[in-house]
Amino acid sequence: MSDHSLSKLHQRLEKETGIHTDFQKNMTYSEYLQLDKILSSQQRLSNHHDEMLFIIIHQVSELWMKLMLHELQAAIVAIEKDDMQPAFKMLSRVTRLQSQIIQVWDVLSTMTPSEYLEFRESLGKASGFQSYQYRLLEFALGYKTRHILKIYEKDERIHQLLEEAYQKPGIYDVSIKALHRAGFAINPDLLTRDFSKPYDRDPSVAKAWKAVYLDVETYWDLYQLAEKLVDIEDWLQQWRFRHMTTVKRIIGFKKGTGGSSGVNYLKNVLDHSFFPELWELRTQL
């Protein structure tokens, strides 16, 4: 910006006479956001420059996941009430959030293997594999494995939070119930099943979704719901893929700090589908 442009900008700002400057008795922006807590939580365990990048990338991801959970959990409640329009808004927001969380891998990938090695040992056995919010997201989407809960026994509050989420229906469970309420002949066992068990594809659900896609005008809300779910899984798979490639780029095929097989584990989870009938019907239509 030229000196002349800066001068004009300063002149315009000086004319803004309504700007508040006295905050002795008023809440500030920093206080509202509790920035003192947020910006003081990046405590490096090494002296290496790039550990700051590593910490912030993961903290930002956890914040995005917190908002995703906020929207997903509210959408589940809305779908249970057949309040579809607010649910669609929430699910659309989730996919926008997913686009943000995918981009963090682009930033993390600027760190080289040599740079990561300088502080990797400082992490001990701590790993993103242990993210309890990511587990809550998986649970909300219907992917549940009991053995994973043992990781969180150290913190009773987190373990209880996960245990409760583990027992609750996921978003696909409530979507299947919505199909039932719309008059489709859904296998009754699905409506009263143990929601702590992973969902397995069912012919009655496949038949119902196919009918929805063949008569979009009649079942417009269910059709929109199905596409919102596909959007979420699509973006989640893209996040998983970028995660895998970033890990491969930085540590190759080494084991993760949390003990997982690293890249091989991340490759395996790419094969899992949260909403199998919605993907299979693409071939059937």
Side-chain angles (χ1 to χ4, degrees), residues 104-120:
V104 304
W105 299 121
D106 294 336
V107 182
L108 187 59
S109 66
T110 64
M111 186 170 62
T112 68
S114 299
E115 290 163 346
Y116 183 46
L117 282 174
E118 291 291 328
F119 64 87
R120 189 183 191 222

Side-chain angles (χ1 to χ4, degrees), residues 207-222:
K207 185 177 180 181
W209 283 128
K210 186 175 181 180
V212 167
Y213 274 73
L214 290 174
D215 192 356
V216 171
E217 290 186 8
T218 301
Y219 302 110
W220 178 253
D221 278 355
L222 290 170

Side-chain angles (χ1 to χ4, degrees), residues 32-91:
Y32 173 65
L33 294 178
Q34 299 186 58
L35 290 182
D36 57 333
K37 294 180 182 178
I38 295 173
L39 299 180
S40 62
S41 63
Q42 294 75 42
Q43 302 298 320
R44 288 182 292 169
L45 298 179
S46 74
N47 292 320
H48 195 272
H49 175 83
D50 282 355
E51 190 181 356
M52 183 65 76
L53 164 70
F54 191 80
I55 292 171
I56 290 176
I57 285 293
H58 288 85
Q59 288 180 337
V60 167
S61 296
E62 291 292 335
L63 284 171
W64 283 134
M65 282 191 276
K66 182 172 184 176
L67 187 50
M68 287 164 63
L69 281 166
H70 178 71
E71 300 296 339
L72 262 179
Q73 290 163 351
I76 288 172
V77 172
I79 293 167
E80 286 182 308
K81 297 177 180 178
D82 285 324
D83 201 2
M84 293 298 191
Q85 293 307 314
F88 296 157
K89 175 67 179 294
M90 296 163 189
L91 295 178

Side-chain angles (χ1 to χ4, degrees), residues 87-238:
F88 296 157
K89 175 67 179 294
M90 296 163 189
L91 295 178
S92 293
R93 184 172 290 163
V94 170
T95 57
R96 295 295 182 92
L97 292 167
Q98 287 175 296
S99 71
Q100 294 298 311
I101 205 170
I102 288 170
Q103 290 179 31
V104 304
W105 299 121
D106 294 336
V107 182
L108 187 59
S109 66
T110 64
M111 186 170 62
T112 68
S114 299
E115 290 163 346
Y116 183 46
L117 282 174
E118 291 291 328
F119 64 87
R120 189 183 191 222
E121 287 189 4
S122 301
L123 304 179
K125 295 180 180 179
S127 167
F129 182 82
Q130 299 146 14
S131 168
Y132 76 89
Q133 288 201 124
Y134 180 72
R135 298 303 168 195
L136 288 171
L137 283 170
E138 286 190 328
F139 290 177
L141 295 173
Y143 182 57
K144 300 179 180 180
T145 50
R146 171 156 287 281
H147 72 275
I148 210 74
L149 293 177
K150 187 169 179 60
I151 293 173
Y152 309 97
E153 289 178 351
K154 180 179 180 179
D155 190 314
E156 186 177 342
R157 182 190 66 84
I158 291 174
H159 188 266
Q160 182 62 32
L161 185 67
L162 284 160
E163 186 67 51
E164 290 172 2
Y166 188 79
Q167 304 295 334
K168 290 180 180 179
I171 197 164
Y172 201 47
D173 295 308
V174 298
S175 298
I176 289 171
K177 288 185 176 182
L179 289 171
H180 169 69
R181 290 194 299 273
F184 290 102
I186 299 298
N187 178 357
D189 292 341
L190 297 179
L191 307 176
T192 58
R193 76 183 190 87
D194 180 355
F195 296 115
S196 69
K197 306 294 184 184
Y199 173 77
D200 195 10
R201 53 181 49 80
D202 187 277
S204 67
V205 175
K207 185 177 180 181
W209 283 128
K210 186 175 181 180
V212 167
Y213 274 73
L214 290 174
D215 192 356
V216 171
E217 290 186 8
T218 301
Y219 302 110
W220 178 253
D221 278 355
L222 290 170
Y223 173 68
Q224 277 192 289
L225 175 59
E227 286 298 293
K228 297 296 183 189
L229 295 179
V230 170
D231 285 342
I232 287 173
E233 182 163 348
D234 186 349
W235 282 101
L236 184 63
Q237 291 293 69
Q238 292 184 54

